[in-house]
Amino acid sequence: MQRPGWFPDELVHAGAEHLDPAYVATYDRKSATDPTEDLTLLRDLGLGEDSVVVDLGAGTGTFALAVAPFCRRIVAVDVSPAMLATVRAQAERLGFTNLEVVHAGFLTYEHRGDRADFVYSRNALHHLPDFWKALALERIADMLRLGGVLRLHDLVFAFDPAEAGRTIEAWLRGASARPEDGWTRAELETHVREEYSTFSWLLEPMLEHTGFDIREAQYRPSRTYAAYTCVKR
Ligand SMILES: C[S@@+](CC[C@H](N)C(=O)[O-])C[C@H]1O[C@@H](n2cnc3c(N)ncnc32)[C@H](O)[C@@H]1O
């Protein structure tokens, strides 16, 4: 599709490491997450065998692969071909025929078929600057049915600007010593400096403005991560 000259190339903001097959091969060891709690939460909210689910910024597919046995259709969307190759290989290995892999981004994924009942996104929205986050949230609202649920996790700053220095420093003090074990100080510094984590008090009005009711907002004690359960109104 022809896009205007002011439209961004999502790959430019995607984080070069996410496009690197060597890095992707180590991703799950470095930043494995347990999808069980989210799966339980979404199943409590009605996710079942008829549900259509979209995972935006699916990475290696931790959530998409976990939800596949419980829903009708799961679409794993990511801008990184290397990430998607991992998801595809795992889905084939596990014999999931209801898992689709789509090479696209928050701003370009075109949802087809029945509207989604659930959209999931973990630690990916911060790749977009705020203007584009709002447009991405609007697009997510459009792909969800009324009453559909967005479960959103991200690195979100739940503090005031005056607290930025000491809160970021306290967070960085807890960084991993070795990159193979988790996020190092240098990696987190790069995140703060070059990526687009925003304040909770900016993101939350964006969610409301694009058609969501925030049913629950959870902040980690570090106040650098947030998780939201939002319902499309
Ligand atoms: C930190 S990883 C998180 C992956 C996975 N959701 C998880 O929780 O493990 C961020 C992912 O977002 C993807 N990404 C970056 N920019 C994106 C965009 N504009 N649209 C969709 N995915 C994007 C990257 O390729 C990467 O796979």
Side-chain angles (χ1 to χ4, degrees), residues 10-11 13-15 18-19 27-28 31 33 55-62 77-80 83 104-107 120-128 183:
E10 289 180 273
L11 279 180
H13 300 292
H18 295 135
L19 310 176
Y27 182 83
D28 283 338
S31 61
T33 49
D55 183 353
L56 292 168
T60 54
T62 303
V77 179
D78 204 288
V79 288
S80 162
M83 290 286 190
F106 286 106
L107 303 174
Y120 183 87
S121 185
R122 184 180 183 104
N123 297 356
L125 190 64
H126 66 261
H127 287 289
L128 297 179
W183 306 102

PDB file of all heavy atoms in Angstrom, residues 10-11 13-15 18-19 27-28 31 33 55-62 77-80 83 104-107 120-128 183, ligand 1:
ATOM      1  N   GLU A  10       8.525   1.357  10.463  1.00  0.00           N
ATOM      2  CA  GLU A  10       8.538   0.784  11.817  1.00  0.00           C
ATOM      3  C   GLU A  10       9.831   0.021  12.110  1.00  0.00           C
ATOM      4  O   GLU A  10      10.231  -0.099  13.262  1.00  0.00           O
ATOM      5  CB  GLU A  10       7.312  -0.106  12.032  1.00  0.00           C
ATOM      6  CG  GLU A  10       6.040   0.708  12.125  1.00  0.00           C
ATOM      7  CD  GLU A  10       4.802  -0.140  12.334  1.00  0.00           C
ATOM      8  OE1 GLU A  10       4.231  -0.594  11.323  1.00  0.00           O
ATOM      9  OE2 GLU A  10       4.420  -0.351  13.485  1.00  0.00           O
ATOM     10  N   LEU A  11      10.472  -0.463  11.056  1.00  0.00           N
ATOM     11  CA  LEU A  11      11.734  -1.195  11.265  1.00  0.00           C
ATOM     12  C   LEU A  11      12.823  -0.293  11.843  1.00  0.00           C
ATOM     13  O   LEU A  11      13.682  -0.748  12.593  1.00  0.00           O
ATOM     14  CB  LEU A  11      12.230  -1.795   9.948  1.00  0.00           C
ATOM     15  CG  LEU A  11      11.586  -3.109   9.523  1.00  0.00           C
ATOM     16  CD1 LEU A  11      12.190  -3.575   8.211  1.00  0.00           C
ATOM     17  CD2 LEU A  11      11.754  -4.193  10.584  1.00  0.00           C
ATOM     18  N   HIS A  13      12.550   1.908  14.075  1.00  0.00           N
ATOM     19  CA  HIS A  13      12.387   2.056  15.530  1.00  0.00           C
ATOM     20  C   HIS A  13      12.331   0.707  16.249  1.00  0.00           C
ATOM     21  O   HIS A  13      12.085   0.658  17.447  1.00  0.00           O
ATOM     22  CB  HIS A  13      11.073   2.798  15.827  1.00  0.00           C
ATOM     23  CG  HIS A  13      11.006   4.165  15.240  1.00  0.00           C
ATOM     24  ND1 HIS A  13      11.804   5.198  15.678  1.00  0.00           N
ATOM     25  CD2 HIS A  13      10.237   4.679  14.247  1.00  0.00           C
ATOM     26  CE1 HIS A  13      11.524   6.285  14.991  1.00  0.00           C
ATOM     27  NE2 HIS A  13      10.588   6.002  14.108  1.00  0.00           N
ATOM     28  N   ALA A  14      12.503  -0.388  15.501  1.00  0.00           N
ATOM     29  CA  ALA A  14      12.187  -1.702  16.083  1.00  0.00           C
ATOM     30  C   ALA A  14      13.252  -2.241  17.027  1.00  0.00           C
ATOM     31  O   ALA A  14      13.019  -3.224  17.721  1.00  0.00           O
ATOM     32  CB  ALA A  14      11.941  -2.720  14.959  1.00  0.00           C
ATOM     33  N   GLY A  15      14.407  -1.579  17.066  1.00  0.00           N
ATOM     34  CA  GLY A  15      15.509  -2.120  17.873  1.00  0.00           C
ATOM     35  C   GLY A  15      16.302  -3.076  16.987  1.00  0.00           C
ATOM     36  O   GLY A  15      15.814  -4.179  16.684  1.00  0.00           O
ATOM     37  N   HIS A  18      16.476  -6.806  17.589  1.00  0.00           N
ATOM     38  CA  HIS A  18      15.316  -7.670  17.335  1.00  0.00           C
ATOM     39  C   HIS A  18      15.291  -8.203  15.902  1.00  0.00           C
ATOM     40  O   HIS A  18      14.555  -9.130  15.589  1.00  0.00           O
ATOM     41  CB  HIS A  18      14.013  -6.916  17.612  1.00  0.00           C
ATOM     42  CG  HIS A  18      13.870  -6.548  19.050  1.00  0.00           C
ATOM     43  ND1 HIS A  18      13.467  -5.309  19.471  1.00  0.00           N
ATOM     44  CD2 HIS A  18      14.108  -7.247  20.170  1.00  0.00           C
ATOM     45  CE1 HIS A  18      13.455  -5.273  20.787  1.00  0.00           C
ATOM     46  NE2 HIS A  18      13.848  -6.434  21.236  1.00  0.00           N
ATOM     47  N   LEU A  19      16.094  -7.572  15.053  1.00  0.00           N
ATOM     48  CA  LEU A  19      16.137  -7.991  13.648  1.00  0.00           C
ATOM     49  C   LEU A  19      17.309  -8.927  13.384  1.00  0.00           C
ATOM     50  O   LEU A  19      17.474  -9.429  12.281  1.00  0.00           O
ATOM     51  CB  LEU A  19      16.251  -6.751  12.752  1.00  0.00           C
ATOM     52  CG  LEU A  19      15.232  -5.633  13.043  1.00  0.00           C
ATOM     53  CD1 LEU A  19      15.499  -4.416  12.164  1.00  0.00           C
ATOM     54  CD2 LEU A  19      13.808  -6.140  12.848  1.00  0.00           C
ATOM     55  N   TYR A  27      17.194 -14.798  22.720  1.00  0.00           N
ATOM     56  CA  TYR A  27      16.196 -13.924  23.354  1.00  0.00           C
ATOM     57  C   TYR A  27      15.464 -14.602  24.515  1.00  0.00           C
ATOM     58  O   TYR A  27      15.307 -14.023  25.590  1.00  0.00           O
ATOM     59  CB  TYR A  27      15.200 -13.431  22.301  1.00  0.00           C
ATOM     60  CG  TYR A  27      14.170 -12.483  22.873  1.00  0.00           C
ATOM     61  CD1 TYR A  27      14.461 -11.135  23.030  1.00  0.00           C
ATOM     62  CD2 TYR A  27      12.937 -12.947  23.303  1.00  0.00           C
ATOM     63  CE1 TYR A  27      13.541 -10.270  23.586  1.00  0.00           C
ATOM     64  CE2 TYR A  27      12.007 -12.087  23.868  1.00  0.00           C
ATOM     65  CZ  TYR A  27      12.313 -10.753  24.003  1.00  0.00           C
ATOM     66  OH  TYR A  27      11.398  -9.892  24.569  1.00  0.00           O
ATOM     67  N   ASP A  28      15.040 -15.842  24.301  1.00  0.00           N
ATOM     68  CA  ASP A  28      14.228 -16.480  25.337  1.00  0.00           C
ATOM     69  C   ASP A  28      15.034 -16.777  26.599  1.00  0.00           C
ATOM     70  O   ASP A  28      14.486 -16.765  27.700  1.00  0.00           O
ATOM     71  CB  ASP A  28      13.578 -17.765  24.799  1.00  0.00           C
ATOM     72  CG  ASP A  28      12.390 -17.434  23.902  1.00  0.00           C
ATOM     73  OD1 ASP A  28      11.840 -16.327  24.036  1.00  0.00           O
ATOM     74  OD2 ASP A  28      12.035 -18.267  23.063  1.00  0.00           O
ATOM     75  N   SER A  31      15.337 -13.113  28.218  1.00  0.00           N
ATOM     76  CA  SER A  31      14.163 -12.377  28.706  1.00  0.00           C
ATOM     77  C   SER A  31      12.901 -13.224  28.660  1.00  0.00           C
ATOM     78  O   SER A  31      11.859 -12.759  28.206  1.00  0.00           O
ATOM     79  CB  SER A  31      13.987 -11.096  27.916  1.00  0.00           C
ATOM     80  OG  SER A  31      13.792 -11.411  26.584  1.00  0.00           O
ATOM     81  N   THR A  33       9.561 -14.862  29.720  1.00  0.00           N
ATOM     82  CA  THR A  33       8.475 -14.450  30.615  1.00  0.00           C
ATOM     83  C   THR A  33       7.510 -15.618  30.727  1.00  0.00           C
ATOM     84  O   THR A  33       7.411 -16.438  29.812  1.00  0.00           O
ATOM     85  CB  THR A  33       7.728 -13.213  30.068  1.00  0.00           C
ATOM     86  OG1 THR A  33       7.404 -13.453  28.697  1.00  0.00           O
ATOM     87  CG2 THR A  33       8.564 -11.961  30.179  1.00  0.00           C
ATOM     88  N   ASP A  55      -1.665 -10.892  18.885  1.00  0.00           N
ATOM     89  CA  ASP A  55      -0.511 -10.520  19.716  1.00  0.00           C
ATOM     90  C   ASP A  55       0.367  -9.595  18.878  1.00  0.00           C
ATOM     91  O   ASP A  55       0.950 -10.014  17.870  1.00  0.00           O
ATOM     92  CB  ASP A  55       0.247 -11.792  20.129  1.00  0.00           C
ATOM     93  CG  ASP A  55       1.419 -11.506  21.068  1.00  0.00           C
ATOM     94  OD1 ASP A  55       1.738 -10.325  21.297  1.00  0.00           O
ATOM     95  OD2 ASP A  55       2.020 -12.488  21.557  1.00  0.00           O
ATOM     96  N   LEU A  56       0.452  -8.337  19.283  1.00  0.00           N
ATOM     97  CA  LEU A  56       1.207  -7.335  18.512  1.00  0.00           C
ATOM     98  C   LEU A  56       2.597  -7.154  19.121  1.00  0.00           C
ATOM     99  O   LEU A  56       2.731  -6.868  20.306  1.00  0.00           O
ATOM    100  CB  LEU A  56       0.453  -6.007  18.531  1.00  0.00           C
ATOM    101  CG  LEU A  56      -0.872  -6.014  17.763  1.00  0.00           C
ATOM    102  CD1 LEU A  56      -1.681  -4.758  18.087  1.00  0.00           C
ATOM    103  CD2 LEU A  56      -0.637  -6.117  16.262  1.00  0.00           C
ATOM    104  N   GLY A  57       3.623  -7.313  18.281  1.00  0.00           N
ATOM    105  CA  GLY A  57       4.998  -7.316  18.788  1.00  0.00           C
ATOM    106  C   GLY A  57       5.234  -8.629  19.508  1.00  0.00           C
ATOM    107  O   GLY A  57       5.769  -8.675  20.618  1.00  0.00           O
ATOM    108  N   ALA A  58       4.870  -9.714  18.844  1.00  0.00           N
ATOM    109  CA  ALA A  58       4.808 -11.040  19.490  1.00  0.00           C
ATOM    110  C   ALA A  58       6.175 -11.612  19.832  1.00  0.00           C
ATOM    111  O   ALA A  58       6.273 -12.551  20.629  1.00  0.00           O
ATOM    112  CB  ALA A  58       4.066 -12.009  18.558  1.00  0.00           C
ATOM    113  N   GLY A  59       7.236 -11.062  19.247  1.00  0.00           N
ATOM    114  CA  GLY A  59       8.580 -11.571  19.539  1.00  0.00           C
ATOM    115  C   GLY A  59       8.698 -13.044  19.173  1.00  0.00           C
ATOM    116  O   GLY A  59       8.244 -13.478  18.102  1.00  0.00           O
ATOM    117  N   THR A  60       9.293 -13.823  20.068  1.00  0.00           N
ATOM    118  CA  THR A  60       9.474 -15.254  19.795  1.00  0.00           C
ATOM    119  C   THR A  60       8.193 -16.053  20.043  1.00  0.00           C
ATOM    120  O   THR A  60       8.206 -17.277  19.919  1.00  0.00           O
ATOM    121  CB  THR A  60      10.613 -15.824  20.654  1.00  0.00           C
ATOM    122  OG1 THR A  60      10.334 -15.506  22.026  1.00  0.00           O
ATOM    123  CG2 THR A  60      11.965 -15.248  20.260  1.00  0.00           C
ATOM    124  N   GLY A  61       7.119 -15.361  20.437  1.00  0.00           N
ATOM    125  CA  GLY A  61       5.817 -16.023  20.499  1.00  0.00           C
ATOM    126  C   GLY A  61       5.461 -16.637  21.844  1.00  0.00           C
ATOM    127  O   GLY A  61       4.566 -17.486  21.912  1.00  0.00           O
ATOM    128  N   THR A  62       6.091 -16.175  22.889  1.00  0.00           N
ATOM    129  CA  THR A  62       5.808 -16.759  24.211  1.00  0.00           C
ATOM    130  C   THR A  62       4.313 -16.786  24.505  1.00  0.00           C
ATOM    131  O   THR A  62       3.761 -17.822  24.877  1.00  0.00           O
ATOM    132  CB  THR A  62       6.544 -15.959  25.316  1.00  0.00           C
ATOM    133  OG1 THR A  62       7.924 -15.965  24.988  1.00  0.00           O
ATOM    134  CG2 THR A  62       6.314 -16.545  26.695  1.00  0.00           C
ATOM    135  N   VAL A  77       1.889 -11.044  15.372  1.00  0.00           N
ATOM    136  CA  VAL A  77       2.318  -9.968  14.458  1.00  0.00           C
ATOM    137  C   VAL A  77       3.643  -9.406  14.958  1.00  0.00           C
ATOM    138  O   VAL A  77       3.789  -9.114  16.150  1.00  0.00           O
ATOM    139  CB  VAL A  77       1.254  -8.837  14.452  1.00  0.00           C
ATOM    140  CG1 VAL A  77       1.680  -7.704  13.529  1.00  0.00           C
ATOM    141  CG2 VAL A  77      -0.115  -9.374  14.061  1.00  0.00           C
ATOM    142  N   ASP A  78       4.579  -9.234  14.065  1.00  0.00           N
ATOM    143  CA  ASP A  78       5.838  -8.591  14.457  1.00  0.00           C
ATOM    144  C   ASP A  78       6.507  -8.033  13.203  1.00  0.00           C
ATOM    145  O   ASP A  78       6.299  -8.547  12.105  1.00  0.00           O
ATOM    146  CB  ASP A  78       6.767  -9.601  15.150  1.00  0.00           C
ATOM    147  CG  ASP A  78       7.787  -8.922  16.081  1.00  0.00           C
ATOM    148  OD1 ASP A  78       8.735  -8.276  15.576  1.00  0.00           O
ATOM    149  OD2 ASP A  78       7.633  -9.040  17.310  1.00  0.00           O
ATOM    150  N   VAL A  79       7.343  -7.014  13.420  1.00  0.00           N
ATOM    151  CA  VAL A  79       8.078  -6.443  12.277  1.00  0.00           C
ATOM    152  C   VAL A  79       9.373  -7.198  12.000  1.00  0.00           C
ATOM    153  O   VAL A  79      10.008  -6.955  10.973  1.00  0.00           O
ATOM    154  CB  VAL A  79       8.431  -4.945  12.500  1.00  0.00           C
ATOM    155  CG1 VAL A  79       7.198  -4.072  12.397  1.00  0.00           C
ATOM    156  CG2 VAL A  79       9.151  -4.731  13.818  1.00  0.00           C
ATOM    157  N   SER A  80       9.760  -8.087  12.905  1.00  0.00           N
ATOM    158  CA  SER A  80      11.050  -8.762  12.759  1.00  0.00           C
ATOM    159  C   SER A  80      10.891 -10.139  12.110  1.00  0.00           C
ATOM    160  O   SER A  80      10.308 -11.053  12.710  1.00  0.00           O
ATOM    161  CB  SER A  80      11.694  -8.936  14.139  1.00  0.00           C
ATOM    162  OG  SER A  80      12.701  -9.916  14.076  1.00  0.00           O
ATOM    163  N   MET A  83      12.253 -12.893  14.434  1.00  0.00           N
ATOM    164  CA  MET A  83      11.333 -13.274  15.525  1.00  0.00           C
ATOM    165  C   MET A  83      10.230 -14.180  14.971  1.00  0.00           C
ATOM    166  O   MET A  83       9.902 -15.229  15.544  1.00  0.00           O
ATOM    167  CB  MET A  83      10.691 -12.023  16.152  1.00  0.00           C
ATOM    168  CG  MET A  83      11.636 -11.162  16.955  1.00  0.00           C
ATOM    169  SD  MET A  83      12.046 -11.924  18.557  1.00  0.00           S
ATOM    170  CE  MET A  83      12.899 -10.564  19.370  1.00  0.00           C
ATOM    171  N   ALA A 104       4.188  -7.607  10.065  1.00  0.00           N
ATOM    172  CA  ALA A 104       3.622  -6.255  10.026  1.00  0.00           C
ATOM    173  C   ALA A 104       3.891  -5.611  11.377  1.00  0.00           C
ATOM    174  O   ALA A 104       4.484  -6.226  12.262  1.00  0.00           O
ATOM    175  CB  ALA A 104       2.119  -6.307   9.737  1.00  0.00           C
ATOM    176  N   GLY A 105       3.435  -4.376  11.518  1.00  0.00           N
ATOM    177  CA  GLY A 105       3.666  -3.674  12.773  1.00  0.00           C
ATOM    178  C   GLY A 105       2.377  -3.084  13.322  1.00  0.00           C
ATOM    179  O   GLY A 105       1.302  -3.242  12.729  1.00  0.00           O
ATOM    180  N   PHE A 106       2.489  -2.392  14.449  1.00  0.00           N
ATOM    181  CA  PHE A 106       1.331  -1.730  15.067  1.00  0.00           C
ATOM    182  C   PHE A 106       0.619  -0.827  14.064  1.00  0.00           C
ATOM    183  O   PHE A 106      -0.598  -0.691  14.103  1.00  0.00           O
ATOM    184  CB  PHE A 106       1.800  -0.838  16.228  1.00  0.00           C
ATOM    185  CG  PHE A 106       2.209  -1.570  17.470  1.00  0.00           C
ATOM    186  CD1 PHE A 106       3.541  -1.690  17.809  1.00  0.00           C
ATOM    187  CD2 PHE A 106       1.258  -2.116  18.317  1.00  0.00           C
ATOM    188  CE1 PHE A 106       3.933  -2.332  18.973  1.00  0.00           C
ATOM    189  CE2 PHE A 106       1.637  -2.766  19.488  1.00  0.00           C
ATOM    190  CZ  PHE A 106       2.983  -2.877  19.813  1.00  0.00           C
ATOM    191  N   LEU A 107       1.410  -0.209  13.179  1.00  0.00           N
ATOM    192  CA  LEU A 107       0.843   0.812  12.294  1.00  0.00           C
ATOM    193  C   LEU A 107       0.447   0.270  10.930  1.00  0.00           C
ATOM    194  O   LEU A 107      -0.124   1.002  10.117  1.00  0.00           O
ATOM    195  CB  LEU A 107       1.868   1.951  12.110  1.00  0.00           C
ATOM    196  CG  LEU A 107       2.323   2.613  13.416  1.00  0.00           C
ATOM    197  CD1 LEU A 107       3.433   3.626  13.145  1.00  0.00           C
ATOM    198  CD2 LEU A 107       1.146   3.292  14.138  1.00  0.00           C
ATOM    199  N   TYR A 120      -3.273  -8.582  22.645  1.00  0.00           N
ATOM    200  CA  TYR A 120      -2.232  -8.694  23.661  1.00  0.00           C
ATOM    201  C   TYR A 120      -0.989  -8.000  23.121  1.00  0.00           C
ATOM    202  O   TYR A 120      -0.658  -8.128  21.939  1.00  0.00           O
ATOM    203  CB  TYR A 120      -1.943 -10.177  23.903  1.00  0.00           C
ATOM    204  CG  TYR A 120      -0.918 -10.454  24.984  1.00  0.00           C
ATOM    205  CD1 TYR A 120      -1.306 -10.562  26.317  1.00  0.00           C
ATOM    206  CD2 TYR A 120       0.428 -10.613  24.667  1.00  0.00           C
ATOM    207  CE1 TYR A 120      -0.374 -10.815  27.310  1.00  0.00           C
ATOM    208  CE2 TYR A 120       1.361 -10.872  25.665  1.00  0.00           C
ATOM    209  CZ  TYR A 120       0.943 -10.975  26.981  1.00  0.00           C
ATOM    210  OH  TYR A 120       1.864 -11.230  27.970  1.00  0.00           O
ATOM    211  N   SER A 121      -0.284  -7.285  23.973  1.00  0.00           N
ATOM    212  CA  SER A 121       1.003  -6.733  23.537  1.00  0.00           C
ATOM    213  C   SER A 121       1.901  -6.577  24.753  1.00  0.00           C
ATOM    214  O   SER A 121       1.501  -5.994  25.758  1.00  0.00           O
ATOM    215  CB  SER A 121       0.809  -5.379  22.842  1.00  0.00           C
ATOM    216  OG  SER A 121       2.057  -4.948  22.327  1.00  0.00           O
ATOM    217  N   ARG A 122       3.070  -7.142  24.650  1.00  0.00           N
ATOM    218  CA  ARG A 122       3.993  -7.085  25.792  1.00  0.00           C
ATOM    219  C   ARG A 122       5.331  -6.481  25.358  1.00  0.00           C
ATOM    220  O   ARG A 122       5.987  -6.975  24.444  1.00  0.00           O
ATOM    221  CB  ARG A 122       4.221  -8.501  26.337  1.00  0.00           C
ATOM    222  CG  ARG A 122       5.080  -8.515  27.554  1.00  0.00           C
ATOM    223  CD  ARG A 122       5.293  -9.923  28.088  1.00  0.00           C
ATOM    224  NE  ARG A 122       6.057  -9.773  29.283  1.00  0.00           N
ATOM    225  CZ  ARG A 122       5.582  -9.878  30.509  1.00  0.00           C
ATOM    226  NH1 ARG A 122       4.338 -10.207  30.730  1.00  0.00           N
ATOM    227  NH2 ARG A 122       6.352  -9.670  31.546  1.00  0.00           N
ATOM    228  N   ASN A 123       5.699  -5.419  26.033  1.00  0.00           N
ATOM    229  CA  ASN A 123       7.034  -4.820  25.902  1.00  0.00           C
ATOM    230  C   ASN A 123       7.398  -4.467  24.458  1.00  0.00           C
ATOM    231  O   ASN A 123       8.539  -4.659  24.034  1.00  0.00           O
ATOM    232  CB  ASN A 123       8.107  -5.742  26.518  1.00  0.00           C
ATOM    233  CG  ASN A 123       7.882  -5.924  28.010  1.00  0.00           C
ATOM    234  OD1 ASN A 123       6.987  -5.310  28.575  1.00  0.00           O
ATOM    235  ND2 ASN A 123       8.678  -6.759  28.645  1.00  0.00           N
ATOM    236  N   ALA A 124       6.433  -3.952  23.722  1.00  0.00           N
ATOM    237  CA  ALA A 124       6.667  -3.609  22.319  1.00  0.00           C
ATOM    238  C   ALA A 124       6.199  -2.196  21.967  1.00  0.00           C
ATOM    239  O   ALA A 124       6.814  -1.549  21.114  1.00  0.00           O
ATOM    240  CB  ALA A 124       5.968  -4.623  21.413  1.00  0.00           C
ATOM    241  N   LEU A 125       5.152  -1.702  22.633  1.00  0.00           N
ATOM    242  CA  LEU A 125       4.588  -0.401  22.219  1.00  0.00           C
ATOM    243  C   LEU A 125       5.598   0.740  22.385  1.00  0.00           C
ATOM    244  O   LEU A 125       5.529   1.745  21.679  1.00  0.00           O
ATOM    245  CB  LEU A 125       3.305  -0.109  23.019  1.00  0.00           C
ATOM    246  CG  LEU A 125       2.468   1.073  22.546  1.00  0.00           C
ATOM    247  CD1 LEU A 125       1.919   0.846  21.137  1.00  0.00           C
ATOM    248  CD2 LEU A 125       1.322   1.363  23.508  1.00  0.00           C
ATOM    249  N   HIS A 126       6.558   0.565  23.295  1.00  0.00           N
ATOM    250  CA  HIS A 126       7.548   1.632  23.525  1.00  0.00           C
ATOM    251  C   HIS A 126       8.462   1.845  22.311  1.00  0.00           C
ATOM    252  O   HIS A 126       9.266   2.769  22.319  1.00  0.00           O
ATOM    253  CB  HIS A 126       8.419   1.311  24.754  1.00  0.00           C
ATOM    254  CG  HIS A 126       9.287   0.109  24.557  1.00  0.00           C
ATOM    255  ND1 HIS A 126       8.941  -1.133  25.043  1.00  0.00           N
ATOM    256  CD2 HIS A 126      10.460  -0.055  23.909  1.00  0.00           C
ATOM    257  CE1 HIS A 126       9.886  -1.990  24.693  1.00  0.00           C
ATOM    258  NE2 HIS A 126      10.817  -1.371  24.007  1.00  0.00           N
ATOM    259  N   HIS A 127       8.347   1.000  21.289  1.00  0.00           N
ATOM    260  CA  HIS A 127       9.135   1.236  20.068  1.00  0.00           C
ATOM    261  C   HIS A 127       8.575   2.390  19.249  1.00  0.00           C
ATOM    262  O   HIS A 127       9.233   2.849  18.314  1.00  0.00           O
ATOM    263  CB  HIS A 127       9.214  -0.040  19.220  1.00  0.00           C
ATOM    264  CG  HIS A 127      10.128  -1.060  19.831  1.00  0.00           C
ATOM    265  ND1 HIS A 127      11.494  -0.899  19.854  1.00  0.00           N
ATOM    266  CD2 HIS A 127       9.876  -2.216  20.476  1.00  0.00           C
ATOM    267  CE1 HIS A 127      12.047  -1.931  20.478  1.00  0.00           C
ATOM    268  NE2 HIS A 127      11.087  -2.742  20.862  1.00  0.00           N
ATOM    269  N   LEU A 128       7.382   2.833  19.600  1.00  0.00           N
ATOM    270  CA  LEU A 128       6.790   3.956  18.853  1.00  0.00           C
ATOM    271  C   LEU A 128       6.811   5.231  19.695  1.00  0.00           C
ATOM    272  O   LEU A 128       6.453   5.206  20.878  1.00  0.00           O
ATOM    273  CB  LEU A 128       5.330   3.637  18.494  1.00  0.00           C
ATOM    274  CG  LEU A 128       5.090   2.449  17.577  1.00  0.00           C
ATOM    275  CD1 LEU A 128       3.588   2.282  17.353  1.00  0.00           C
ATOM    276  CD2 LEU A 128       5.798   2.633  16.239  1.00  0.00           C
ATOM    277  N   TRP A 183      18.720  -7.990  31.363  1.00  0.00           N
ATOM    278  CA  TRP A 183      19.059  -6.668  30.831  1.00  0.00           C
ATOM    279  C   TRP A 183      20.151  -6.038  31.682  1.00  0.00           C
ATOM    280  O   TRP A 183      20.008  -5.898  32.890  1.00  0.00           O
ATOM    281  CB  TRP A 183      17.811  -5.780  30.800  1.00  0.00           C
ATOM    282  CG  TRP A 183      16.722  -6.456  30.046  1.00  0.00           C
ATOM    283  CD1 TRP A 183      15.641  -7.104  30.560  1.00  0.00           C
ATOM    284  CD2 TRP A 183      16.654  -6.628  28.629  1.00  0.00           C
ATOM    285  NE1 TRP A 183      14.898  -7.652  29.542  1.00  0.00           N
ATOM    286  CE2 TRP A 183      15.493  -7.374  28.352  1.00  0.00           C
ATOM    287  CE3 TRP A 183      17.458  -6.215  27.568  1.00  0.00           C
ATOM    288  CZ2 TRP A 183      15.121  -7.715  27.061  1.00  0.00           C
ATOM    289  CZ3 TRP A 183      17.077  -6.557  26.281  1.00  0.00           C
ATOM    290  CH2 TRP A 183      15.925  -7.294  26.041  1.00  0.00           C
TER     291      TRP A 183
HETATM  292  C1  LIG B   1      11.200  -6.646  23.710  1.00  0.00           C
HETATM  293  S1  LIG B   1      10.501  -7.560  22.390  1.00  0.00           S
HETATM  294  C2  LIG B   1       9.050  -8.255  23.193  1.00  0.00           C
HETATM  295  C3  LIG B   1       8.597  -9.526  22.503  1.00  0.00           C
HETATM  296  C4  LIG B   1       7.475 -10.269  23.195  1.00  0.00           C
HETATM  297  N1  LIG B   1       6.222  -9.513  23.158  1.00  0.00           N
HETATM  298  C5  LIG B   1       7.840 -10.593  24.622  1.00  0.00           C
HETATM  299  O1  LIG B   1       7.180 -10.103  25.548  1.00  0.00           O
HETATM  300  O2  LIG B   1       8.795 -11.370  24.805  1.00  0.00           O
HETATM  301  C6  LIG B   1       9.808  -6.304  21.354  1.00  0.00           C
HETATM  302  C7  LIG B   1       9.239  -6.852  20.064  1.00  0.00           C
HETATM  303  O3  LIG B   1       8.520  -5.801  19.413  1.00  0.00           O
HETATM  304  C8  LIG B   1       8.793  -5.895  18.038  1.00  0.00           C
HETATM  305  N2  LIG B   1       8.503  -4.589  17.443  1.00  0.00           N
HETATM  306  C9  LIG B   1       9.263  -3.485  17.444  1.00  0.00           C
HETATM  307  N3  LIG B   1       8.610  -2.477  16.837  1.00  0.00           N
HETATM  308  C10 LIG B   1       7.406  -2.968  16.440  1.00  0.00           C
HETATM  309  C11 LIG B   1       6.292  -2.418  15.733  1.00  0.00           C
HETATM  310  N4  LIG B   1       6.272  -1.147  15.336  1.00  0.00           N
HETATM  311  N5  LIG B   1       5.242  -3.211  15.501  1.00  0.00           N
HETATM  312  C12 LIG B   1       5.234  -4.499  15.919  1.00  0.00           C
HETATM  313  N6  LIG B   1       6.260  -5.081  16.567  1.00  0.00           N
HETATM  314  C13 LIG B   1       7.335  -4.323  16.828  1.00  0.00           C
HETATM  315  C14 LIG B   1      10.247  -6.324  17.963  1.00  0.00           C
HETATM  316  O4  LIG B   1      10.582  -6.874  16.710  1.00  0.00           O
HETATM  317  C15 LIG B   1      10.289  -7.339  19.098  1.00  0.00           C
HETATM  318  O5  LIG B   1       9.952  -8.623  18.649  1.00  0.00           O
END
